[in-house]
Amino acid sequence: MENRTVVVGFVGLDKLSLDLASSLIRSGYRVQAYQEDGSFLKEFCDLGGTRCQSPVTATRDASVSILANDGDDIADILSAIEGLDKGTVVIIRSQLSPGQVQKIEKNILEKEDVAFVDAYIFEGYAETLDRDIIVIASGKKPALERAEPCLSALTDKVHYFENEVGVGSKFKWVNDLLESIHLVASVEATFLGARAGLHPSILYDIISNAAGSSRIFVEMVPKLLADDSLLINYVNSLLKDAKSVMDAAKAVTFPLPLLAVAYQQLINGCSMKIEGELSPSPTKVYEQMFGMNIRDATKQPSYDPSELAQELTATAQRVKKIGFIGLGAMGFGMASHLLKSGFSVIAYDVYKPTLVKFAELGGLIGTSPREISQEVEVLLIMVATEAQAESVLYGDNGALSALPDGASIILCSTVSPGYVTDLEQRLKDGSKDLKLVDSPVSGGVIRAAEGTLTIMASGTNVALQNTGFVLSALSEKLYIIKGGCGAASSVKMVNQLLAGVHIASSAEAIAFGARIGIKTRKLFEIIQHSRGFSWMFGNRVPHMLESDYKPYSAIDIFVKDLGIVCNESSKMEIPVHVSTIAHQLFISGSASGWGRYDDSAVVKVYETLTGVKVEGKHAILSTADVLKLLPNEFGENPMENQDIIGNLNSKVLVVLDDDPTGTQTVHDIQVLTEWSTETLVEQFQKKPTCFFILTNSRALSSDKAVCLTKEICKNLEAAAKQVAGTSFTVVLRGDSTLRGHFS
């Protein structure tokens, strides 16, 4: 279908239709439209579109007809079908069920030479976070080929599904599921935080940049706090969409516990009457349900936690010796980073191999919390639970008996706010002038080792002054939370509420997608651009697709963390329905024996219950496609090709060979068996095209092999800087099992 003033007819207009029409007009199409209530017609005509008086006239003479409907009434679509001309391509842009779409397809295909394409078109998010148009188009191959020029004029992000009519509705179901759950979780989190004494706007700013963030949280919480009238329409629309998902799940016999309880909360948000008002805003409804005025809380005096952190680090006292208890995955990274930052660190952990590993890095170690707490200025505790924190402080050989007067304790564990406030009081009642900083952390194992964690800290000014130097060394983002000990743990509690719900909702969404026949890798790709996306979806779903449950944060961690949420919310009389169901899902995973698996393994609860498999199989390539990936054959003299490649590449090729067999396969290439900077400078001065370094690292453990490789690369970089005009590329060559790879 060539674009020579091609006519495109719209039946039904909305804001998205205006964007689509604008794109088509810019691409040279002539666009005409019919809309029953006329609400968007003026804007449409201002863009250069032509108004039509009926669905039939809108599709008359149109080479492409785009029919839009909200799913309640398809009369306009059926009427438009009557006026279709021979040769028309019909694109249904609707929220109809796959069954309704198939029914319309049957009516359309009864007409001669009319092609049918089902398209779910939505405004998504590009990688730059700018809005972008996403199209999911399905139909028979000839129809998709005829529609392609028009669809490509709308956007460069078109996903084609041959012979899968209705697949767009399925993608929408999954997105609607996520949106519904995320909205209710955002409401629960906001009210719980406010009841805990946190300023809603400050909490919003922190969570928006943390692991608990989602697009719904970022977009909808400001509307909730401002009692934005747009929230009424959104919640009503989401209620209808959630019901469609529930009906679809019922049809395929698939449980959606998180969506089910979120759906009930959406019903509540739309149906409650307040002071005789038939359609009160969701904000007012939720305020009555939670028993607090969130708008008044927002009007309270605010502050900038980041600015407070900058002021703290500018005046913080320097610390020489730190005691560190808890060398788990996060703790070891934090402690080793403090070592690299020049602190003297003495550490303790019940697991002896980690102590040995820490000692190999140059750290000091002790045999008990008591032993490592002597003569330290700051004691940092990074254990998993409140019980463990209590034990290392007050148990046999506990730290408190040995800590010097005036020392400060940084509690980085995720514990309940109530425990922290109680601990601070007990320390105040003790005979020593010990100070406590409530300082939960977020960011994961890698960021712990890099010193780029997000840290929330609260406590007295003196306690923060004494520990600010240490907190700054461990963090990329440091927030000082007013309110004393317990306030920072309240922020972490809210973050964990959202993070836990988002992991569980990701599992529910991806498992439901697998049940209704969507390829899970494609589902993951598209949801990344949708409103239903969350930070946890992007981070955890890849583990689900690979069935890789190596623990980075275990299921049992969220059994604990969401347990804190449920217990504290009960004390504060804040109902957290969605969070409670998410907690039960993690408990189910732990009860099934997966407690030490990565928290993404909560998806196995759905897999076990329903028999689906969410693992995303990679596409099978045809023989022809594989052959196309092979390089061109060499000519009669392969060395001529090698000479050409060598002349084109100005970088020195440095091959790190972990086994002597590699050097036996090369000709006229120098092999080094040591790699001091001086030796490498001498080698670079010879201007070689390539040389080998024999590392013999095959016999080393993976950790030692990594350290050795890093050492060699640092020396190469230092040597190259000393020889003008030198640049290099490193290749790691494995033994005959071909484990080598480019880096």
Side-chain angles (χ1 to χ4, degrees), residues 290-525:
F290 289 108
M292 64 179 303
N293 191 309
I294 196 74
R295 292 163 293 165
D296 286 350
T298 305
K299 294 173 185 176
Q300 296 300 310
S302 186
Y303 61 92
D304 188 334
S306 298
E307 284 188 7
L308 292 183
Q310 291 173 4
E311 294 171 7
L312 171 69
T313 54
T315 58
Q317 297 180 12
R318 290 195 168 268
V319 174
K320 295 180 181 177
K321 191 170 185 180
I322 300 172
F324 201 107
I325 300 177
L327 296 178
M330 289 279 288
F332 189 89
M334 294 166 67
S336 60
H337 180 75
L338 289 173
L339 276 181
K340 295 174 187 175
S341 301
F343 294 94
S344 173
V345 184
I346 180 168
Y348 169 76
D349 193 275
V350 294
Y351 187 56
K352 298 300 184 272
T354 61
L355 288 176
V356 173
K357 187 177 177 182
F358 187 66
E360 290 175 350
L361 295 178
L364 304 173
I365 58 174
T367 59
S368 69
R370 175 186 173 85
E371 181 181 343
I372 65 103
S373 299
Q374 301 174 32
E375 301 179 355
V376 301
E377 298 163 79
V378 172
L379 175 66
L380 194 151
I381 299 174
M382 188 59 186
V383 294
T385 66
E386 293 176 9
Q388 291 175 359
E390 191 72 9
S391 176
V392 300
L393 286 170
Y394 289 98
D396 294 339
N397 288 315
L400 284 185
S401 60
L403 278 172
D405 277 351
S408 297
I409 300 171
I410 303 176
L411 182 58
C412 291
S413 307
T414 299
V415 296
S416 68
Y419 175 78
V420 181
T421 54
D422 176 69
L423 175 60
E424 182 185 38
Q425 187 59 51
R426 282 187 285 158
L427 293 175
K428 287 179 179 178
D429 294 341
S431 59
K432 297 180 180 180
D433 182 24
L434 299 177
K435 302 166 184 64
L436 179 65
V437 173
D438 174 21
S439 183
V441 303
S442 178
V445 175
I446 295 175
R447 288 176 60 187
E450 294 173 345
T452 57
L453 290 169
T454 295
I455 298 182
M456 291 72 69
S458 61
T460 65
N461 290 337
V462 174
L464 291 168
Q465 285 287 336
N466 291 349
T467 58
F469 195 55
V470 178
L471 296 172
S472 177
L474 290 169
S475 62
E476 179 179 53
K477 294 178 181 176
L478 176 61
Y479 300 104
I480 302 301
I481 311 299
K482 290 183 177 181
C485 282
S489 282
S490 293
V491 175
K492 182 64 185 292
M493 173 180 66
V494 174
N495 182 74
Q496 294 306 92
L497 179 160
L498 290 163
V501 170
H502 294 164
I503 294 170
S505 65
S506 297
E508 186 161 298
I510 207 76
F512 176 57
R515 167 68 99 193
I516 57 180
I518 304 177
K519 293 181 175 63
T520 50
R521 287 190 183 276
K522 178 59 73 171
L523 178 59
F524 174 69
E525 176 188 347

Side-chain angles (χ1 to χ4, degrees), residues 70-105:
D70 64 4
D72 291 332
D73 183 5
I74 60 174
D76 285 347
I77 289 181
L78 295 175
S79 176
I81 291 173
E82 296 302 317
L84 292 175
D85 292 331
K86 181 178 179 180
T88 301
V89 177
V90 177
I91 300 173
I92 295 287
R93 188 185 75 78
S94 67
Q95 298 179 18
L96 305 175
S97 70
Q100 289 174 308
V101 173
Q102 289 168 359
K103 181 178 179 181
I104 292 175
E105 178 191 30

Side-chain angles (χ1 to χ4, degrees), residues 633-648:
E633 295 182 12
F634 281 118
E636 293 183 2
N637 183 2
M639 293 308 296
E640 292 178 0
N641 300 71
Q642 184 62 39
D643 291 341
I644 293 172
I645 295 171
N647 292 334
L648 291 175

Side-chain angles (χ1 to χ4, degrees), residues 89-90 102 105-106 109 114-118 137-148 151 160-166:
V89 177
V90 177
Q102 289 168 359
E105 178 191 30
K106 181 181 178 181
L109 296 183
V114 174
F116 174 78
V117 172
D118 172 37
S138 58
K140 292 183 169 56
K141 185 176 181 180
L144 292 174
E145 289 175 345
R146 288 169 60 179
E148 190 276 332
L151 294 176
Y160 293 100
F161 293 84
E162 191 175 328
N163 297 324
E164 294 187 53
V165 172

Side-chain angles (χ1 to χ4, degrees), residues 200-210 217 302-303 305 479:
S201 297
I202 293 172
L203 182 66
Y204 172 80
D205 290 341
I206 294 174
I207 298 295
S208 294
N209 295 290
F217 181 89
S302 186
Y303 61 92
Y479 300 104

